[in-house]
């Protein structure tokens, strides 16, 4: 017989909300985990109430998610505080007991979303749970069991209601990967460019691309390699290409306002070393995407890229409008090839063709596509 | 540039080139550095590697180090073999030198470990 599905609460960071669904969907399908929404998620709220067949499924999902802050086994959920306590008092004792053994230390975390309470008020809230049949000692740091009480006051921070919209109580299970965002911060990264991708978005892209340990991942418009850092963090072996010689050799003007000159050892490889990911670094090539040097049968597990849009980074490929142009023998050693416009639609066309040829079956291409929000509709994508 | 990457590159996109594979290597500075050994990854990429090309490339830069001439049977479970393949594919790094198109002789410089595969406007 199937085990009964259990109810859990996923608590998200209120940032890049649109990416939440894509990320979770991608991870569920990568791990082949089934998840059901207990309640249709509300796009503006930071939580989902979901069901899983097993706690290990949930743990796997959360262990890779960048948008999830934390998750808990939901013991009670109500629209007001009174009903929550009622529910919790009626929660089957045999489900709580395993966590309330005398040898298990515990703590109760009180969190109020979008409304501030003083420490004293929070302690009062905490003490309202004194009926719980806990037996073990309280331990604030790394307890064996962490219980979570959350009051949700909506998302309008400057105008919160008197009473919470929703209140939750449950057993904390795991945190997501929010700390990785700080670890990979551009502020402390050795080598960055003017358009280095934000670490959070890079990690979300790597998750959408379903990067797994041992995958080969390519960024054909690699720049300063931000996307490779995220892909390598999730176990990908990374390759990059870029037309910009100065960028790959880190000889462009420094991107930090206080930095006069680039350090001699700045490079994508140095970034990998900074994060202890050097064993995931394969190579970067100076290469015009329009003239691919990859062998026809080379297969990548995923392609993650942020092509130039012609606004902050130029859209260029090698070429000339002159007819029958040749570089003379004399100038050959020092010749720098001329570039012509590489229209954005040609870039995406070439990118899709390249992906069709070089992605393994089921492998994903994840890239950005610039649109004007006013003119945008799903139909534009298809053309 | 690692020999795994070399194994994946051709100069076929040049105007007059038909196969462009494998690229020749002139190496003036080769560095061997230890890379964490991941036997699963090595076993996974061996079927995708043109072994002959890898062998000849390692030989041409004097880095054979006992690399077998052919992929052995049942290589997935042959720790010794995977270790040698790992070394050849991932630990040998060409820091300075050039790649050479086998058909036109066009040279592509490698500086500081990064090959420059930019073509001139009359070559594309």
């Amino acid at each position: 017989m199937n085990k009964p599905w259990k109810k859990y609460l996923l608590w998200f960071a209120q940032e890049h909300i649109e990416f939440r669904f894509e990320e979770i969907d991608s991870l569920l399908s990568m791990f082949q985990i089934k998840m059901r929404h207990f309640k249709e998620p509300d796009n503006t709220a930071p939580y989902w109430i979901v069901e899983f067949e097993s706690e290990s499924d949930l743990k796997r999902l959360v262990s890779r998610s960048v948008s999830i802050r934390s998750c808990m086994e939901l013991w009670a959920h109500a629209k007001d505080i009174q009903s929550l306590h009622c529910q919790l008092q009626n929660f089957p004792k045999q489900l709580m007991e395993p966590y309330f053994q005398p040898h298990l230390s515990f703590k109760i975390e009180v969190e109020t979303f979008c409304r501030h309470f003083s420490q004293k008020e929070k302690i009062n809230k905490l003490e309202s749970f004194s009926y719980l049949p806990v037996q073990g000692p309280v331990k604030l740091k790394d307890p064996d069991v962490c219980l979570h009480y959350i009051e949700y006051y909506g998302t309008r921070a400057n105008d919160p209601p008197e009473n919470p919209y929703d209140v939750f109580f449950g057993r904390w299970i795991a945190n997501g990967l929010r700390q990785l965002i700080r670890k990979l911060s551009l502020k402390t990264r050795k080598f960055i460019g003017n358009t280095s991708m934000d670490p959070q978005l890079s990690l979300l892209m790597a998750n959408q691309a379903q990067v797994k340990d041992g995958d080969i991942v390519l960024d054909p418009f690699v720049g300063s390699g931000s996307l490779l850092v995220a892909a390598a963090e999730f176990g990908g072996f990374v390759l990059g290409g870029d037309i910009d010689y100065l960028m790959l050799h880190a000889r462009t003007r420094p991107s930090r306002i206080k930095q006069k000159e680039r350090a001699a050892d700045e490079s994508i490889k140095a970034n990998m070393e900074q994060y202890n990911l050097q064993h995931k670094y394969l190579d970067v090539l100076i290469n015009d995407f329009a003239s691919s040097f990859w062998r026809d049968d080379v297969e990548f597990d995923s392609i993650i890229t942020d092509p130039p849009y012609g606004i902050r980074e130029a859209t260029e490929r090698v070429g000339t409008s002159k007819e029958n142009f040749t570089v003379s023998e004399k100038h050959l050693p020092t010749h720098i090839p001329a570039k012509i416009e590489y229209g954005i639609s040609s870039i995406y066309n070439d990118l899709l063709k390249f992906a069709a040829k070089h992605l393994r079956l089921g492998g994903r291409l994840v890239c950005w596509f610039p649109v004007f929000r006013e003119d945008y509709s799903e139909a534009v994508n298809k053309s | 540039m690692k020999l795994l990457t070399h194994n994946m590159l051709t100069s076929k996109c040049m105007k007059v080139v038909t196969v462009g594979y494998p690229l020749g290597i002139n190496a003036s500075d080769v560095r061997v550095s230890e890379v964490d050994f991941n036997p699963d990854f090595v076993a996974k990429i061996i079927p995708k590697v043109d072994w002959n090309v890898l062998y000849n490339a390692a030989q041409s830069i004097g880095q054979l180090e006992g690399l077998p001439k052919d992929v052995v049977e049942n290589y997935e479970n042959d720790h010794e073999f995977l270790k040698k393949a790992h070394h050849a594919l991932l630990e040998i790094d060409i820091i300075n030198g050039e790649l050479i198109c086998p058909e036109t002789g066009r040279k592509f410089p490698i500086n500081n470990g990064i090959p420059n595969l930019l073509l001139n406007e009359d070559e594309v």
Side-chain angles (χ1 to χ4, degrees):
Chain A
M1 205 185 88
N2 287 339
K3 279 205 279 179
W5 291 59
K6 259 194 191 164
K7 217 191 283 177
Y8 298 94
L9 183 76
L10 302 182
W11 201 269
F12 291 94
Q14 273 308 63
E15 217 181 341
H16 304 307
I17 297 171
E18 317 79 62
F19 290 95
R20 209 178 268 174
F21 290 88
E22 288 301 331
E23 191 206 34
I24 301 299
D25 273 355
S26 303
L27 294 180
L28 290 172
S29 91
M30 175 169 79
F31 291 131
Q32 300 182 311
I33 294 172
K34 278 181 265 167
M35 181 189 89
R36 294 196 296 229
H37 282 281
F38 179 74
K39 212 181 99 201
E40 256 327 284
D42 167 3
N43 268 341
T44 58
Y47 64 85
W48 291 357
I49 300 170
V50 294
E51 293 178 311
F52 286 92
E53 268 174 311
S54 77
E55 193 169 306
S56 60
D57 281 359
L58 167 67
K59 278 184 172 161
R60 282 175 85 194
L61 172 73
V62 176
S63 72
R64 260 296 288 268
S65 171
V66 180
S67 50
I68 294 176
R69 274 177 56 203
S70 67
C71 64
M72 64 174 168
E73 184 183 72
L74 195 55
W75 289 1
H77 167 218
K79 290 283 170 197
D80 62 90
I81 297 171
Q82 203 55 43
S83 326
L84 181 96
H85 285 291
C86 247
Q87 263 189 46
L88 196 55
Q89 273 157 339
N90 290 322
F91 189 76
K93 290 279 172 294
Q94 71 273 21
L95 295 180
M96 279 187 195
E97 262 159 13
Y99 306 103
F100 290 159
Q101 304 291 318
H103 66 281
L104 295 176
S105 62
F106 80 98
K107 78 165 169 181
I108 301 178
E109 186 92 47
V110 175
E111 196 177 314
T112 55
F113 188 85
C114 235
R115 197 173 153 188
H116 184 75
F117 287 92
S118 69
Q119 202 53 36
K120 196 162 172 279
E121 287 170 307
K122 281 194 175 174
I123 288 173
N124 284 340
K125 290 178 191 295
L126 195 148
E127 278 171 357
S128 66
F129 292 98
S130 54
Y131 55 83
L132 286 174
V134 283
Q135 297 181 60
V138 174
K139 193 175 164 215
L140 296 182
K141 213 179 160 222
D142 295 325
D144 296 317
V145 177
C146 182
L147 302 164
H148 234 132
Y149 170 59
I150 306 178
E151 293 182 354
Y152 173 61
Y153 290 87
T155 51
R156 287 182 303 153
N158 39 18
D159 181 26
E162 190 52 38
N163 293 307
Y165 292 112
D166 286 275
V167 279
F168 305 92
F169 190 91
R171 180 176 58 88
W172 172 87
I173 292 176
N175 286 340
L177 293 178
R178 303 299 293 172
Q179 86 288 353
L180 253 190
I181 298 169
R182 210 170 321 123
K183 176 184 157 194
L184 303 183
S185 167
L186 295 180
K187 287 182 185 161
T188 49
R189 188 174 299 174
K190 187 161 183 71
F191 169 51
I192 59 165
N194 293 342
T195 55
S196 288
M197 182 63 72
D198 166 76
Q200 177 165 195
L201 293 171
S202 306
L203 291 164
L204 285 168
M205 287 177 80
N207 271 344
Q208 281 188 43
Q210 303 183 318
V211 175
K212 293 186 303 299
D213 203 27
D215 277 3
I216 297 186
V217 181
L218 172 74
D219 179 353
F221 299 96
V222 72
S224 59
S226 281
L227 298 178
L228 297 190
V229 168
E233 186 67 49
F234 292 142
F237 284 78
V238 296
L239 285 164
D242 205 291
I243 197 169
D244 192 343
Y245 179 97
L246 294 175
M247 176 60 87
L248 290 194
H249 283 287
R251 295 278 74 94
T252 52
R253 288 177 55 193
S255 301
R256 296 180 208 279
I257 195 154
K258 284 185 183 148
Q259 192 181 351
K260 289 270 187 328
E261 278 175 30
R262 293 235 181 231
D265 56 348
E266 283 187 37
S267 65
I268 293 176
K269 194 177 181 185
N271 285 348
M272 294 293 176
E273 283 162 6
Q274 179 183 353
Y275 301 125
N276 227 342
L277 296 168
Q278 61 275 18
H279 53 289
K280 299 288 181 197
Y281 174 83
L282 295 178
D283 271 304
V284 293
L285 318 168
I286 299 154
N287 178 216
D288 177 3
F289 184 62
S291 320
S292 171
F293 271 69
W294 299 108
R295 217 172 66 191
D296 277 344
D297 54 352
V298 164
E299 264 189 5
F300 302 105
D301 293 290
S302 52
I303 299 171
I304 311 179
T305 195
D306 182 25
Y309 315 137
I311 297 169
R312 294 221 289 164
E313 296 288 357
T315 44
E316 291 175 329
R317 63 187 178 90
V318 170
T320 175
S321 49
K322 294 178 199 149
E323 270 178 55
N324 299 324
F325 174 85
T326 52
V327 185
S328 66
E329 198 71 38
K330 179 171 105 199
H331 292 119
L332 209 47
T334 54
H335 179 75
I336 295 170
K339 291 172 187 135
I340 54 170
E341 170 70 14
Y342 191 15
I344 196 163
S345 54
S346 324
I347 292 184
Y348 281 92
N349 218 335
D350 288 356
L351 186 57
L352 290 176
K353 275 196 220 145
F354 182 87
K357 182 167 158 187
H358 287 291
L359 268 183
R360 73 160 160 82
L361 208 60
R364 290 187 171 190
L365 162 67
V366 178
C367 66
W368 293 86
F369 186 79
V371 295
F372 288 107
R373 288 208 183 222
E374 294 79 35
D375 313 340
Y376 181 73
S377 70
E378 284 290 319
V380 179
N381 267 345
K382 290 171 192 132
S383 61
Chain B
M1 188 202 64
K2 296 179 196 291
L3 293 186
L4 171 61
T5 310
H6 167 262
N7 210 275
M8 297 160 86
L9 298 176
T10 115
S11 55
K12 195 172 62 82
C13 62
M14 289 174 75
K15 248 185 208 164
V16 289
V17 174
T18 49
V19 182
Y21 189 78
L23 299 171
I25 306 176
N26 252 342
S28 55
D29 181 6
V30 176
R31 207 171 296 159
V32 176
S33 47
E34 203 178 312
V35 173
D36 294 357
F37 178 45
N38 180 337
D40 293 341
F41 176 68
V42 178
K44 185 188 129 177
I45 55 172
I46 281 176
K48 300 179 182 176
V49 166
D50 187 322
W51 194 264
N52 236 340
V53 168
L54 176 70
Y55 182 87
N56 292 336
Q59 190 174 42
S60 76
I61 56 170
Q63 293 287 340
L64 263 185
E65 310 261 337
L67 187 72
K69 202 160 179 10
D70 296 291
V71 179
V72 300
E73 255 178 70
N74 201 11
Y75 60 85
E76 297 97 325
N77 306 314
D78 188 332
H79 191 83
E80 270 312 292
F81 176 81
L82 291 178
K83 197 92 208 216
K84 283 182 179 146
H86 162 80
H87 175 76
L89 289 164
L90 300 170
E91 296 192 322
I92 300 169
D93 208 355
I94 300 161
I95 306 298
N96 291 303
E98 49 199 15
L99 294 170
I100 305 148
C101 167
E103 288 167 45
T104 61
R106 163 72 143 98
K107 290 175 176 151
F108 300 96
I110 304 171
N111 294 314
N112 213 356
I114 303 175
N116 180 356
L117 304 174
L118 282 188
L119 296 168
N120 285 328
E121 49 279 48
D122 53 351
E123 295 171 312
V124 295

